[in-house]
Amino acid sequence: MPRPSQLDDKRRELLPVVAGVFTRLGYRRATTAELSEACGVQENILYRLWPDKKAMYLAAIDFVYEFSEQTWLRLLERDGGGASSARRLLEYESHHHGEFGHYRILFAGLPEIDDADIRAALRRTFARFHRFLLAQMLTQRSGGGGAAACPAELAAWAAIGLGTIANISRELGLLDDAQRRGLIEQIGGLLLSSGGAGRPSAGRGRRASKHTLT
Amino acid sequence: MPRPSQLDDKRRELLPVVAGVFTRLGYRRATTAELSEACGVQENILYRLWPDKKAMYLAAIDFVYEFSEQTWLRLLERDGGGASSARRLLEYESHHHGEFGHYRILFAGLPEIDDADIRAALRRTFARFHRFLLAQMLTQRSGGGGAAACPAELAAWAAIGLGTIANISRELGLLDDAQRRGLIEQIGGLLLSSGGAGRPSAGRGRRASKHTLT
DNA sequence: CTATAGAGTAAGTATTCACATACAGTATTG
DNA sequence: CAATACTGTATGTGAATACTTACTCTATAG
């Protein structure tokens, strides 16, 4: 028999490089020539690892979440000095949110959203972020007694929106580092204390749902 | 003298059509052939109205804000039954946010953000949205007495983030209409009562700024 | 050693697309 | 009317680029 396949290893090795190019150039402007050059291989090699450019991009999308999750899990493994996981994540993100720019990979997918594969990959990625954040917010709840109130799920979505606008404002130079930090800290704290905790969300939620129809 | 130029009229007439194509296809995939066909003219005509495809896109970006602003101003001109402008906008948006899909034009610009012109246009657009929302949130303040507290500006950014994630969740089918409505109502209400009003933001803001460094 | 198939190199290609050119029609002013 | 510049049509083109093909080299199994 001939030598065993090293395709899986090679994929793992090159994926961060590929993701880096998509981060820098987006989906359309990342040419296969650029991708292969950054990887230090010929284009052909990339086509043996992935069937086409779209597959490379789909792999990069998954990479975005997995990279974030790894970072967060590593953070939570460390000693937290008593603060809740959600608070520690918030603290961390207020200083490091978006520092690798991987969110650009997701931004690049939004204009391609009518492609079923890209849509599915983005959907999965946002859903995973939501699931992770929601879990963190729920563990911060007082006892864990009360049934899963609707607001926590919404607060988790709002937190993703907060991160998104923080990234956009970074890209556009609309907020500097300190302002972005304040944005994440203050609004993030607001979301945590309203959506995560059972206590204050009752009165506050009642007032906010003045217009609720359902 | 020959006939007077109708270029301005033509631009105004075709801009919504052009914006519609960019809404549907984004920046890269909107070909000049598609644009001209949608406008019912030859490509050449578009090149007499705008110097290149990018200029057409830049015009579409400005169109996004101006269209929204017109809609909102028309809404606020109507009788509001005593509710504050901010509340009425929130009510309206909870039902109609993103219904024209124009936000896709902005999404399409994010991967092109290293182009100085596109970046400037996006920056201007987001800044205009922020200015408008902030003004609405500030008019809702109790007397108008207290100095412009920092949280109101942040709350306005968070509101834009809320709208952004609402649009993303719409695109990805992550939230249905009712869920998106709840998201905008509840989190929007939270932002209004925290960032806009002087009263509750004091205690709440103090608590949220536990991590504030500056 | 040698046969096999994976790993790597170097071209080519078909297509798409932004933009250009060349030309015909028409409305307005003196 | 007649001259002018605007309005419109048809076709061309050169560059970019995703993907292919043909080929060589190399490591492993028997």
Side-chain angles (χ1 to χ4, degrees):
Chain A
M1 277 187 181
R3 50 203 287 203
S5 173
Q6 300 164 19
L7 290 178
D8 282 345
D9 294 337
K10 202 74 181 172
R11 252 189 293 266
R12 260 189 294 276
E13 175 196 336
L14 294 186
L15 181 53
V17 183
V18 166
V21 176
F22 283 123
T23 294
R24 184 159 45 89
L25 298 172
Y27 177 57
R28 290 279 158 179
R29 285 164 50 222
T31 67
T32 52
E34 184 92 26
L35 285 165
S36 67
E37 192 192 332
C39 290
V41 299
Q42 293 284 64
E43 293 188 43
N44 214 7
I45 308 258
L46 294 184
Y47 280 95
R48 287 201 195 134
L49 299 175
W50 293 281
D52 51 24
K53 178 179 153 182
K54 194 173 85 177
M56 305 173 205
Y57 176 62
L58 294 174
I61 291 180
D62 284 338
F63 174 82
V64 174
Y65 176 76
E66 277 146 28
F67 187 91
S68 282
E69 195 192 56
Q70 271 187 23
T71 304
W72 288 340
L73 290 179
R74 259 199 298 272
L75 168 74
L76 294 179
E77 272 170 17
R78 288 201 293 267
D79 181 54
S84 76
S85 294
R87 286 280 168 200
R88 286 164 64 201
L89 279 177
L90 182 58
E91 227 289 304
Y92 178 84
E93 284 300 302
S94 72
H95 287 84
H96 296 96
H97 183 70
E99 68 182 351
F100 293 105
H102 288 152
Y103 56 85
R104 288 188 200 170
I105 295 177
L106 306 184
F107 287 173
L110 293 176
E112 316 289 334
I113 219 160
D114 56 331
D115 178 286
D117 297 322
I118 292 180
R119 190 179 122 107
L122 285 179
R123 186 185 150 98
R124 181 172 60 245
T125 297
F126 276 92
R128 290 170 90 185
F129 274 114
H130 182 258
R131 190 199 319 252
F132 188 94
L133 290 183
L134 179 60
Q136 299 305 319
M137 295 178 101
L138 288 179
T139 60
Q140 130 133 357
R141 284 176 153 249
S142 31
C150 167
E153 304 217 340
L154 297 186
W157 282 119
I160 296 176
L162 179 63
T164 304
I165 195 62
N167 286 332
I168 290 176
S169 71
R170 170 202 288 265
E171 291 290 328
L172 297 176
L174 285 163
L175 298 178
D176 62 27
D177 288 358
Q179 290 171 314
R180 282 204 316 281
R181 199 188 317 140
L183 176 65
I184 292 178
E185 274 170 1
Q186 303 213 24
I187 307 292
L190 184 67
L191 293 173
L192 269 189
S193 58
S194 82
R199 232 173 332 98
S201 74
R204 184 60 59 101
R206 195 67 40 80
R207 185 148 19 116
S209 60
K210 189 169 64 178
H211 306 286
T212 306
L213 298 179
T214 48
Chain B
M1 279 188 181
R3 49 199 291 200
S5 173
Q6 299 164 19
L7 289 179
D8 282 344
D9 295 337
K10 201 75 182 173
R11 252 189 293 267
R12 260 189 294 276
E13 175 196 337
L14 294 187
L15 181 53
V17 184
V18 166
V21 176
F22 282 123
T23 294
R24 184 158 45 87
L25 297 173
Y27 177 57
R28 291 279 158 177
R29 287 164 48 220
T31 66
T32 52
E34 183 93 26
L35 285 164
S36 67
E37 192 193 332
C39 291
V41 299
Q42 293 283 56
E43 292 187 44
N44 214 8
I45 307 258
L46 295 183
Y47 280 95
R48 287 199 196 138
L49 300 174
W50 293 281
D52 51 22
K53 178 179 153 182
K54 193 172 85 176
M56 304 174 204
Y57 175 62
L58 294 174
I61 289 180
D62 284 338
F63 174 81
V64 173
Y65 177 77
E66 277 146 27
F67 187 91
S68 282
E69 193 193 56
Q70 272 187 23
T71 305
W72 288 339
L73 290 179
R74 259 199 299 271
L75 169 74
L76 294 179
E77 272 171 17
R78 289 202 293 267
D79 181 56
S84 76
S85 294
R87 286 281 168 201
R88 287 163 64 202
L89 280 176
L90 183 59
E91 226 289 304
Y92 178 83
E93 285 300 302
S94 72
H95 287 84
H96 295 97
H97 183 70
E99 69 183 350
F100 294 105
H102 288 153
Y103 56 86
R104 288 188 200 169
I105 295 177
L106 307 184
F107 287 172
L110 293 177
E112 316 288 334
I113 220 160
D114 56 331
D115 178 287
D117 297 322
I118 292 180
R119 190 180 123 107
L122 285 179
R123 186 185 150 98
R124 182 172 60 246
T125 298
F126 276 91
R128 291 170 89 184
F129 274 114
H130 183 257
R131 190 200 319 254
F132 188 93
L133 290 182
L134 179 60
Q136 298 306 319
M137 295 178 102
L138 288 178
T139 60
Q140 131 134 357
R141 285 174 152 250
S142 31
C150 165
E153 304 218 338
L154 297 186
W157 282 119
I160 296 177
L162 179 64
T164 304
I165 195 62
N167 287 332
I168 290 176
S169 71
R170 172 204 287 265
E171 290 291 329
L172 297 176
L174 284 163
L175 298 178
D176 62 28
D177 288 359
Q179 290 171 314
R180 282 204 315 281
R181 199 189 316 139
L183 176 65
I184 293 176
E185 275 170 0
Q186 304 213 23
I187 308 291
L190 184 67
L191 293 173
L192 270 190
S193 58
S194 83
R199 231 174 333 98
S201 74
R204 184 60 60 103
R206 194 66 42 79
R207 185 148 20 118
S209 60
K210 191 168 62 176
H211 305 287
T212 306
L213 298 179
T214 48

